[in-house]
Amino acid sequence: MEFTSPEGEQKYAALVRAADRAVIGLDFDGTLSPIVDDPTRAHIHPDAGEVLVDLAEVVAAVAVVTGRPARQALDLGGLEAVGNAIGDAGKELYLFGQYGNERWSSTRRRIVSPRPPHGLATFLRDLPRALRQADAADAWVEDKGLAHAVHTRRLPDPAGAFERLLPVLRDLAGRNGLVLEPGRNVIEVRAPGMDKGKAVDALAAEVDAGAFLFAGDDLGDLEAFDAVSALGKDGLPTLLVCSASDEVSALVDRADVVVHGPDGVLDLLRTLTADARATR
């Protein structure tokens, strides 16, 4: 755990003091789960379940906020079992899927999801031509139901294909009333009006959070960082955690704490749990 400034240490200490009123928000890929070439083969860190259950005993709520479909995140992360254990402690596990468009909790145990966005069908019709235009016809297209993600990681030149695709897909998405979300060798296209920042705001209001930590690793987490920063300006203790990697550093300059990947995230959460217990 590396604090980016003396202020980061002070913010961590304030969060520890307010732990019993804190919400812990966590991205999934790159934060709780190592990044892999095939997203369908991703798996949550083997220690994550135990760490989250232990953490839930000292905070107000734990939430996973991910771009993945909620059902996929539940299955890959074993989060229903984690939710059962957290529920036994009288606390709540929340899951916001597809950037907040889908929602599940360990109390309601039902995924609430809107209909696919208008324009997605037309986008998909024109996508093969766009891929050929960017010389990325072999890019893997992942159907997320409410969105589609174009992955370049498996191509011979992932970074080059990503750069060629970005303007082409941005134009195609805009013409169909959709928004584009770039990530680690992936470009996602989805409906406007929801992002991780809005999910943070909704959760903070619902739980009446007295403090908020958010940990993420990629560009899709910037809105969550913005929302948590706004809560801090309103007087809440907050902490922004970057799960750093060799691929992406977009969040490093925004973070209060930098850790290395899921291992570092879980080490931080263990430390937070221990420090919160010590202050009781």
Side-chain angles (χ1 to χ4, degrees), residues 7-20:
E7 183 184 15
E9 291 190 65
Q10 296 166 8
K11 293 176 78 170
Y12 174 80
L15 186 85
V16 168
R17 291 193 295 271
D20 62 336

Side-chain angles (χ1 to χ4, degrees), residues 115-131:
R115 294 180 178 178
H118 294 295
L120 189 59
T122 306
F123 172 85
L124 290 174
R125 182 196 68 195
D126 296 337
L127 180 58
R129 182 171 55 190
L131 295 178

Side-chain angles (χ1 to χ4, degrees), residues 176-202:
N176 288 285
L178 304 169
V179 297
L180 180 144
E181 190 81 59
R184 295 200 207 181
N185 293 316
V186 60
I187 302 168
E188 183 164 323
V189 176
R190 55 186 174 83
M194 178 54 76
D195 56 48
K196 291 187 179 184
K198 292 182 175 64
V200 164
D201 288 338

Side-chain angles (χ1 to χ4, degrees), residues 99 153 162 166 181-188 218-220 248:
Y99 295 89
R153 186 174 293 274
F162 179 92
L166 199 57
E181 190 81 59
R184 295 200 207 181
N185 293 316
V186 60
I187 302 168
E188 183 164 323
D218 207 348
L219 294 171
V248 178

Side-chain angles (χ1 to χ4, degrees), residues 5 16 72 128 179 201 234 258 262:
S5 68
V16 168
Q72 191 180 77
V179 297
D201 288 338
D234 288 339
V258 177

Side-chain angles (χ1 to χ4, degrees), residues 117-170:
H118 294 295
L120 189 59
T122 306
F123 172 85
L124 290 174
R125 182 196 68 195
D126 296 337
L127 180 58
R129 182 171 55 190
L131 295 178
R132 291 193 298 271
Q133 179 183 340
D135 193 23
D138 292 333
W140 176 49
V141 179
E142 180 186 6
D143 181 355
K144 293 188 171 185
L146 301 179
H148 275 69
V150 180
H151 296 264
T152 65
R153 186 174 293 274
R154 302 179 188 176
L155 297 179
D157 178 16
F162 179 92
E163 294 301 325
R164 294 192 302 273
L165 274 170
L166 199 57
V168 175
L169 295 187
R170 181 176 284 116

Side-chain angles (χ1 to χ4, degrees), residues 36-279:
V36 294
D37 288 344
D38 183 351
T40 64
R41 294 180 178 273
H43 56 86
I44 199 168
H45 192 288
D47 296 340
E50 179 182 353
V51 171
L52 295 182
V53 172
D54 204 27
L55 173 68
E57 294 182 1
V58 300
V59 299
V62 177
V64 176
V65 187
T66 176
R68 283 186 179 271
R71 172 46 57 190
Q72 191 180 77
L74 285 169
D75 292 343
L76 293 175
L79 294 177
E80 287 182 285
V82 174
N84 285 336
I86 289 177
D88 290 342
K91 300 295 178 67
E92 188 89 49
L93 174 66
Y94 296 88
L95 172 65
F96 291 85
Q98 303 213 42
Y99 295 89
N101 280 302
E102 296 180 326
R103 178 169 174 161
W104 175 94
S105 74
S106 54
T107 296
R108 296 186 179 180
R109 300 188 173 282
R110 180 173 65 90
I111 296 172
V112 178
S113 177
R115 294 180 178 178
H118 294 295
L120 189 59
T122 306
F123 172 85
L124 290 174
R125 182 196 68 195
D126 296 337
L127 180 58
R129 182 171 55 190
L131 295 178
R132 291 193 298 271
Q133 179 183 340
D135 193 23
D138 292 333
W140 176 49
V141 179
E142 180 186 6
D143 181 355
K144 293 188 171 185
L146 301 179
H148 275 69
V150 180
H151 296 264
T152 65
R153 186 174 293 274
R154 302 179 188 176
L155 297 179
D157 178 16
F162 179 92
E163 294 301 325
R164 294 192 302 273
L165 274 170
L166 199 57
V168 175
L169 295 187
R170 181 176 284 116
D171 176 68
L172 182 57
R175 284 190 274 118
N176 288 285
L178 304 169
V179 297
L180 180 144
E181 190 81 59
R184 295 200 207 181
N185 293 316
V186 60
I187 302 168
E188 183 164 323
V189 176
R190 55 186 174 83
M194 178 54 76
D195 56 48
K196 291 187 179 184
K198 292 182 175 64
V200 164
D201 288 338
L203 184 58
E206 180 174 330
V207 178
D208 192 19
F212 212 111
L213 176 153
F214 192 88
D217 77 307
D218 207 348
L219 294 171
D221 298 307
L222 281 171
E223 289 89 352
F225 270 41
D226 289 340
V228 173
S229 294
L231 293 174
K233 291 177 181 178
D234 288 339
L236 266 68
T238 61
L239 195 73
L240 295 173
V241 180
C242 171
S243 175
S245 74
D246 295 333
E247 289 185 338
V248 178
S249 59
L251 302 183
V252 170
D253 292 339
R254 295 288 309 277
D256 302 306
V257 181
V258 177
V259 299
H260 188 71
D263 283 328
V265 171
L266 295 181
D267 283 344
L268 182 148
L269 296 180
R270 290 186 186 97
T271 301
L272 173 61
T273 301
D275 289 345
R277 287 195 172 115
T279 62

